[in-house]
Structure formats: C-alpha cells, structure tokens
Amino acid sequence: MTTPSGDDMLGRGLRLLSVLAEHPAGLGVSAAARAARLPVSSAHRILGRLVEERFATYDEDARRYALGSRVLELSRGFQRSAAGYSAAAGPMGRLAARTGLPVIAGVLDGADVLLVLTVQGTQHLQLRSAEGTRNPWHATSLGKALVAQLPEAEREELLKGPLPAVTPRTVTDPGLLRAELASVRERGWAEVDEENEIGVRSLAAALPGTSRRGPLLAVSLAATVILTEADQLRAQATALTECAEDIAARMAP
C-alpha cells in the first residue's frame, strides 16, 4: 500500500474524515483503511480517537464508522465565521422572501459545484438542496455562472471534461457549452432546465469582481417546472444579479 508523501497523523485523520463524508451509511475499518490508503492498524487507531473526540461515531452492531456531531459543529462555526458565507445570508433571505423560491449559494471546487448555503422560499412545494452537496459544474446554473467568469485557460481545462450526462437534458458537448458560457458572460446570469435534476430549473449569477482568478461565489434561484415557467423564472434575473452584487459588497475587504 502506498501512502502520500509527508503523511502524518493529522493528514491521515483528515483523510479518514473525508472518506467517511463520502460514505454516509458508514464503513467498516478495513474498507475505511483501503479508501484512505492506510494500514488497517493505523486506521483503527485513528478512528478510535476520532470517536473519542466525537468527530466520528461507531455502531457496534453494524461495526461501521460514520461522521460524528463535531463535524456539524465545525460546519456551523465556519458558516458564522468571517471566512464563511454569513454575509450572504441576509441578501439571500430577502431574495427568497421576495420570490418565494429557494436561494442557493455555491462555490467551484475542482469540476464540481459545492453548495455552501441555502435559504428556503415560501412556495408550498419546496426544493431541498443540502449544504455540502456536490454537483458537476456543467449540469448546474451555479457551475455555469462560476465557470463563465474564469480565465480562459481554466475554462478550457474544465471543458476538456469529463462532462457526463446527469439527465437526458444535460448539455455535454464542449462546443455548445463554450457558446453558452459566452452568453452567460454577456447577460450576467446562467440557466439550466432539468439538466441536473428532472423537474427542476434554475438561474444563477456569480458575484461580480471578487477575484482576479474568478468569482468566489454564485447564487441561484431554483424552481419546479410544475409551478414556475421558464419565462417566469427569467423575470427574476435582475433581482438575482442585485442579490449577487449586494453579497459582493458585503464580502469586500
């Protein structure tokens, strides 16, 4: 078994936590060790310490380890910190109240969009998007809004793929995506229609002028195709971009 160079106890523990995060049903010690590229003895020892500190739990009947409550505490602490996204909560809440639709914020992490903050709307049929969820960038309005603002070399690298079809409506052709990203840059917002989830459409706008390497964050409005027509959702584009501008002003140093 090959372990990463410079491997230490902290790195091994963090790797095990990442493995547990990818397996919410839990893992046995041998499976966790394989996934984290660790000897079983080391994984067993570190997992035991993580359980003691409540970063992991252990089900004696199933003999499985899973994430513990301290991970949630860390997540909530991050959200409230200056490095988190608490500055986005107010503008997102006002947009959700104004439109009745859920408002979701995400960041680009590799080829995925990571959801970092959600605010529920007021419609009786609500979409649920959990913070910490990952989706392929090319299938989401958040991802397209973020990637459209990246430097050209970084955009082209992402367009090389892979670009899997999440639904039958997902755009996977690099040429079509390239043209779509150009349109996003021109109008200031992105949209998808059942490309990431059947029955769901969304708009997204990236925060303007937040980094030389691209936007730090994007916000989206999501809607069910049953309750909200595409034109009705597009009519909220101005409110959405104003929300992004408000957040950017609040996050500015």
Side-chain angles (χ1 to χ4, degrees), residues 4-5 8 19 54 64-65 76 81 114 132 140 176 179 183 231 239 248:
S5 60
D8 57 16
V19 165
R54 295 189 295 114
R64 286 176 172 262
Y65 292 89
R76 293 302 184 191
S81 73
L114 176 66
T140 67
L176 293 176
S183 296
D231 287 343

Side-chain angles (χ1 to χ4, degrees), residues 21 24-25 34 40 72 76 87 89 160 163 167 178 180 197 240 253:
R34 283 195 301 273
V40 172
L72 179 60
R76 293 302 184 191
K160 291 178 182 177
L163 303 167
T167 76
R178 188 178 292 109
E180 187 175 353
E197 184 178 352
L240 177 65

Side-chain angles (χ1 to χ4, degrees), residues 119-136:
V119 177
Q120 289 302 311
T122 57
Q123 283 188 345
H124 69 274
L125 180 58
Q126 284 290 302
L127 300 168
R128 299 290 176 182
S129 298
E131 294 163 6
T133 300
R134 289 177 175 272
N135 294 300

